[in-house]
Amino acid sequence: MTRDKDNNWQGDIYPPSWGGSSRQMPVQEQVDEYEYIAPDGFGYPVYAVRAKKDGYDDANPYESVKRDPRFYRDIVYHGSTFKGKVINTASGADKVGATNSTTTGYFLRKILRESWNRDKSFSISGPPVWRLPEFIYIYCEAVNETAGPNAEIYELLNTVRKRAFMVPIPAEAKASKALMDEYIKRERRVELFYENNRIWTTRLYLEPSSPKETAKEQAWQGAGSTNDQRSQKAWPYPKSQRMINGMKPVEDPAGKIVVDGKKYKMQRYFIESRVFVTPRHYLFPIMQDELQKTPTLKQNPGW
């Protein structure tokens, strides 16, 4: 098991309206990976070409279509209910950017037990280091890479989804290695969210130096003159680990989200740049005393 979580940790997660300091929070890049349930009964990413036709509205991203149930389990968002209270990230203690509040527009719900109050002492076990779904993903990925997609791995992935009350992957993935790979990677990011997994999988797939992801990064940078314009136009965001985006509520008479009697639409926005230098940040540096002990040992690239 990973390190236990206690009432002090929960205080770092709770929204300020419940006495929390919101030191850890989901980012928009994670939120976008939760699929929506289409009219045909299958799950698709919200950034799919068909999403808008199926009813997805980026100004009302949480309720315009039904999202993967794991989204509602894992994420607290503007207009959602937490501990019996509707969360408002447009004003008040939980406003985006307010003291101790979220900077991304989201609060974490995963692992929390809302019936526990942070002023009471308690301890819970964090997620296990290994879970059966990860073994399933490893196996499915290996089969997909060596023999190609088939009905077996299709059913295995759907077994995990079914346990979370999520609809199946579209059947065409059984005949497309690239599409199956896309679903496996997205499943990893959703099912294993906040379980100390993402930091390693982005390196496993070499995403920060992937030609596909760096091309998306260049497209994002060229999508407008301001960061907000870029955030609105160029997504899905690149998995290059070099930036973070969020979603904020904006008052709009035509808005579909009603909180405290006001109508809102959601708007993407750029938060900050992060540093990921390749190949340096794929590896840890070797300690200097180890290099001295073994003169033939070479330092990792970039260190």
Side-chain angles (χ1 to χ4, degrees):
M1 302 296 288
T2 54
R3 187 176 181 178
D4 286 349
K5 308 296 185 184
D6 59 17
N7 50 297
N8 294 312
W9 166 81
Q10 187 150 320
D12 285 347
I13 302 301
Y14 263 32
S17 59
W18 282 100
S21 57
S22 188
R23 295 173 63 188
Q24 303 172 54
M25 66 204 75
V27 297
Q28 188 61 43
E29 285 82 348
Q30 171 67 31
V31 170
D32 285 343
E33 295 305 303
Y34 292 90
E35 298 169 12
Y36 73 95
I37 299 173
D40 66 4
F42 296 105
Y44 299 91
V46 296
Y47 44 79
V49 174
R50 60 175 293 159
K52 189 174 181 180
K53 182 180 178 181
D54 284 339
Y56 175 75
D57 179 4
D58 207 46
N60 181 24
Y62 321 123
E63 307 295 342
S64 59
V65 290
K66 186 178 179 182
R67 302 287 291 269
D68 184 330
R70 290 172 288 189
F71 168 71
Y72 305 103
R73 178 198 70 187
D74 294 349
I75 311 291
V76 177
Y77 54 91
H78 181 68
S80 64
T81 300
F82 180 75
K83 290 178 73 69
K85 178 182 177 181
V86 176
I87 295 297
N88 187 346
T89 62
S91 62
D94 297 334
K95 181 180 179 179
V96 175
T99 303
N100 290 331
S101 189
T102 176
T103 55
T104 65
Y106 302 102
F107 300 99
L108 182 69
R109 192 192 294 268
K110 188 170 183 179
I111 302 177
L112 285 179
R113 295 293 182 271
E114 295 179 32
S115 59
W116 296 337
N117 293 318
R118 62 162 303 200
D119 59 343
K120 305 295 183 183
S121 179
F122 63 84
S123 180
I124 60 174
S125 296
V129 176
W130 289 101
R131 287 209 287 121
L132 180 58
E134 184 158 14
F135 287 105
I136 289 174
Y137 300 146
I138 291 170
Y139 177 75
C140 291
E141 191 169 54
V143 171
N144 193 48
E145 286 296 318
T146 56
N150 60 28
E152 180 198 21
I153 63 175
Y154 176 82
E155 292 302 328
L156 279 170
L157 291 174
N158 284 332
T159 296
V160 182
R161 292 164 71 96
K162 185 178 180 180
R163 188 187 65 165
F165 307 102
M166 180 52 178
V167 297
I169 294 167
E172 54 262 34
K174 288 188 284 187
S176 170
K177 178 181 177 181
L179 186 58
M180 183 66 78
D181 181 63
E182 179 186 324
Y183 272 94
I184 292 170
K185 289 178 178 178
R186 191 160 47 245
E187 273 296 300
R188 272 185 174 274
R189 194 162 185 178
V190 168
E191 177 66 23
L192 303 176
F193 167 57
Y194 205 71
E195 297 183 25
N196 197 32
N197 189 276
R198 176 64 186 158
I199 187 175
W200 308 116
T201 54
T202 188
R203 288 161 172 78
L204 170 67
Y205 299 130
L206 303 178
E207 287 175 335
S209 56
S210 159
K212 178 182 177 181
E213 298 306 324
T214 52
K216 284 198 292 186
E217 185 177 63
Q218 292 170 0
W220 187 87
Q221 292 171 341
S225 58
T226 69
N227 284 329
D228 276 350
Q229 287 176 332
R230 295 170 183 169
S231 189
Q232 287 290 314
K233 294 178 181 178
W235 66 290
Y237 298 121
K239 299 178 177 68
S240 60
Q241 307 304 299
R242 283 185 277 267
M243 65 176 184
I244 287 176
N245 289 274
M247 191 81 91
K248 59 187 175 184
V250 176
E251 280 195 59
D252 187 329
K256 303 293 194 305
I257 303 170
V258 180
V259 178
D260 293 340
K262 295 182 179 180
K263 294 182 179 180
Y264 297 93
K265 67 177 181 180
M266 301 306 294
Q267 185 178 88
R268 295 170 179 268
Y269 68 104
F270 171 79
I271 296 173
E272 64 185 27
S273 296
R274 291 292 179 94
V275 176
F276 195 112
V277 179
T278 58
R280 176 178 180 173
H281 290 146
Y282 281 128
L283 302 166
F284 288 112
I286 300 173
M287 300 297 288
Q288 187 63 33
D289 59 348
E290 295 298 324
L291 292 171
Q292 291 172 346
K293 291 176 186 176
T294 313
T296 57
L297 195 62
K298 294 185 182 297
Q299 181 59 276
N300 280 328
W303 292 100

